[in-house]
């Protein structure tokens, strides 16, 4: 087993290290406090209270009412549940608007629904990963059941203008869901003042454990559950609660609320220093989505003349963890659907690596990464037929650098 002490972990969009304070709060619910929260005696009701507290902590982070939160098993479940619910109310409304750059938890689900009789419009993006709001307005039809668009892209960090999108959907009287898995805990959110109907999140992206998430359902939105059984989560998600993980999610939300301002500044400074160093040291490197509003922790960089799977292997030998596109696609030879949707060349998509920073990265991690990565890229280029000197950045690369 490789211990995290030996790693330079630059893959915080894939998952994050559990915060020690979160782990501490979670453990008693795997040991001493094993009562069922639905049981009537005090041994059970104290567990119910711990769940209620987690709900309050998360509601505080999101600026919403605790009753608007439903705990789920992950971000994927939350995404699926919001979309599926919207399709249940009006049998004639079987049209979904989404985008070509969504995480597979939305994209694949929509593709599957399309095979089963729904119509899906996947909006395209420009070279910087931005969506066109006029195109969104035009895509919404009387038959549209829901618009589902991500808040921040997991590969590039590009942010969609979610509040404007929510406003458009409200004016058009169509439900709006956002996959906010990459932004919750990272940017301030106040749902009380927004027109968002549904929002998905996942604890392991903000220093909580894997296998627990939540779906925000605004008070004004109708919802029909996908998982039916006992009346847990106020009848909106059946199944005995994953108590320890829910408690942990609550604590992770509390920690995020405490750290958000300081962390944003510190991590942004780290990411910016990293990007500047890489652009300075490596020829033919370009930031994907550089001109778009971007999440402060994410850096998607294309290196001309390399193949990202080979780069990942070599970086792994140097104990640097990063990814080629999203973690879910590692092992696949297909290039990123996000970078392809941004109309980047095949070469540019093939040479893309995603680095994502987080709470536990240190300046020492950064210094080492800035030393090792240029050497690895140089080595890869020397190994391939093209040498560093004859790697000519393409026009698109030069334009975006
Ligand atoms: N949505 C986005 C944008 C993600 O980045 C991820 C995870 O990578 C998910 C959804 C899926 O979340 P989970 O792993 O909790 O199912």
């Amino acid at each position: 087993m490789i211990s995290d002490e030996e790693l330079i972990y630059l893959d915080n969009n894939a998952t994050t290290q559990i915060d020690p304070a979160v782990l501490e709060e979670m453990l008693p619910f795997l040991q001493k406090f094993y009562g069922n929260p639905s049981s009537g005696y005090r041994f059970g009701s104290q567990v119910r209270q711990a769940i209620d507290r987690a709900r309050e902590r998360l509601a505080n982070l999101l600026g919403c009412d605790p009753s608007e939160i439903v705990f789920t098993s992950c971000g994927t479940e939350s995404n699926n549940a919001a979309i599926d619910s919207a399709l249940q109310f009006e049998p004639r409304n079987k049209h979904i608007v989404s985008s070509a750059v969504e995480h597979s938890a939305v994209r694949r689900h929509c593709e599957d629904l399309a095979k089963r009789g729904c119509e899906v419009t996947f909006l395209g993006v420009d070279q910087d990963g931005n969506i066109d709001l006029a195109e969104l307005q035009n895509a919404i039809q009387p038959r549209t059941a829901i618009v589902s668009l991500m808040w921040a892209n997991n590969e590039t960090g590009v942010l969609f203008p979610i509040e404007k999108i929510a406003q458009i959907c409200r004016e058009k009287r169509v439900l709006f869901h956002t996959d906010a898995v990459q932004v919750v805990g990272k940017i301030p959110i106040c749902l009380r003042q927004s027109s968002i109907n549904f929002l998905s999140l996942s604890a392991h992206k903000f220093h909580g454990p894997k296998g627990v998430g939540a779906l925000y359902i605004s008070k004004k939105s109708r919802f029909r559950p996908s998982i039916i059984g006992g009346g847990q989560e106020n009848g909106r998600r059946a199944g005995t609660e994953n108590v320890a993980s829910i408690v942990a999610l609550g604590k992770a939300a509390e920690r995020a609320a405490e750290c958000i301002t300081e962390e944003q500044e510190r991590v942004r400074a780290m990411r910016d220093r990293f990007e500047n160093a890489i652009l300075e040291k490596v020829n033919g490197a370009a930031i994907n989505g550089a001109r778009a509003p971007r999440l402060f922790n994410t850096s998607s960089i294309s290196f001309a003349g390399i193949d990202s799977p080979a780069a990942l292997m070599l970086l792994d030998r140097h104990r640097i963890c990063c990814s080629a596109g999203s973690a879910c696609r590692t092992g696949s030879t297909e290039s990123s659907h996000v970078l392809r949707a941004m109309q980047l060349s095949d070469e540019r998509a093939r040479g893309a690596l995603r680095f994502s920073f987080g709470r536990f990265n240190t300046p020492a991690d950064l210094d080492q990464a800035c030393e090792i990565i240029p050497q690895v890229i140089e080595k890869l280029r020397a190994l391939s037929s093209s040498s560093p000197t004859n790697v000519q950045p393409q026009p698109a690369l030069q334009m975006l650098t």
Side-chain angles (χ1 to χ4, degrees), residues 58-175:
L58 181 57
N60 180 48
L61 179 70
L62 300 178
C64 69
D65 197 87
S67 65
E68 295 175 302
I69 285 167
V70 172
F71 291 115
T72 64
S73 67
C74 57
T76 302
E77 182 191 325
S78 303
N79 286 338
N80 279 229
I83 295 169
D84 289 346
S85 166
L87 292 168
Q88 311 245 340
F89 290 106
E90 286 293 335
R92 283 173 305 123
N93 292 1
K94 294 284 182 224
H95 176 237
I96 304 165
V97 178
S98 189
S99 86
V101 296
E102 297 299 308
H103 186 273
S104 49
V106 166
R107 197 170 53 100
R108 291 247 175 91
H109 188 51
C110 287
E111 284 167 359
D112 187 58
L113 288 166
K115 284 186 200 141
R116 294 191 276 130
C118 288
E119 194 193 330
V120 187
T121 304
F122 289 106
L123 301 171
V125 293
D126 66 16
Q127 281 215 331
D128 291 305
N130 295 307
I131 206 149
D132 180 342
L133 294 184
E135 210 177 301
L136 166 66
Q137 299 230 21
N138 292 335
I140 298 171
Q141 315 165 6
R143 267 171 27 88
T144 306
I146 190 162
V147 171
S148 178
L149 292 167
M150 67 202 317
W151 199 316
N153 189 275
N154 46 300
E155 294 188 27
T156 59
V158 170
L159 294 156
F160 283 164
I162 287 305
E163 289 305 340
K164 283 190 193 153
I165 294 171
Q167 199 60 34
I168 291 172
C169 292
R170 198 172 73 137
E171 281 158 17
K172 296 255 183 190
R173 295 176 179 282
V174 59
L175 292 172

Side-chain angles (χ1 to χ4, degrees), residues 13-14 74-77 79 103 105 150 152 154 179 181-182 202 204-205 328:
N13 284 10
C74 57
T76 302
E77 182 191 325
N79 286 338
H103 186 273
M150 67 202 317
N154 46 300
D179 174 351
V181 165
Q182 291 294 347
S202 179
H204 74 102
K205 306 290 185 177
C328 310

Side-chain angles (χ1 to χ4, degrees), residues 263-312:
E263 207 159 279
Q264 241 182 358
E265 273 176 37
R266 191 171 49 82
V267 176
R268 181 191 297 281
M270 216 179 310
R271 194 275 312 262
D272 290 351
R273 184 152 82 81
F274 172 78
E275 287 189 347
N276 290 336
I278 297 296
L279 291 179
E280 199 185 298
K281 291 185 182 185
V282 186
N283 272 336
I287 313 290
N288 299 313
R291 292 180 304 197
R294 268 189 309 152
L295 201 54
F296 62 87
N297 80 319
T298 308
S299 187
S300 165
I301 309 186
S302 286
F303 297 95
I306 68 144
D307 275 327
S308 50
L312 288 187

Side-chain angles (χ1 to χ4, degrees), residues 172-227:
K172 296 255 183 190
R173 295 176 179 282
V174 59
L175 292 172
F176 175 51
H177 162 252
T178 184
D179 174 351
V181 165
Q182 291 294 347
V183 298
V184 169
K186 292 183 190 142
I187 64 171
I189 294 178
C190 184
L191 291 169
R192 219 166 268 123
Q193 286 163 15
S194 97
S195 301
I196 295 168
N197 298 96
F198 305 106
L199 175 146
S200 302
L201 62 97
S202 179
H204 74 102
K205 306 290 185 177
F206 59 105
H207 304 288
K210 294 160 191 63
V212 63
L215 178 64
Y216 157 82
I217 305 171
S218 86
K219 272 183 200 148
K220 51 188 186 291
S221 311
R222 288 194 295 173
F223 178 75
R224 191 163 290 174
S226 306
I227 301 182

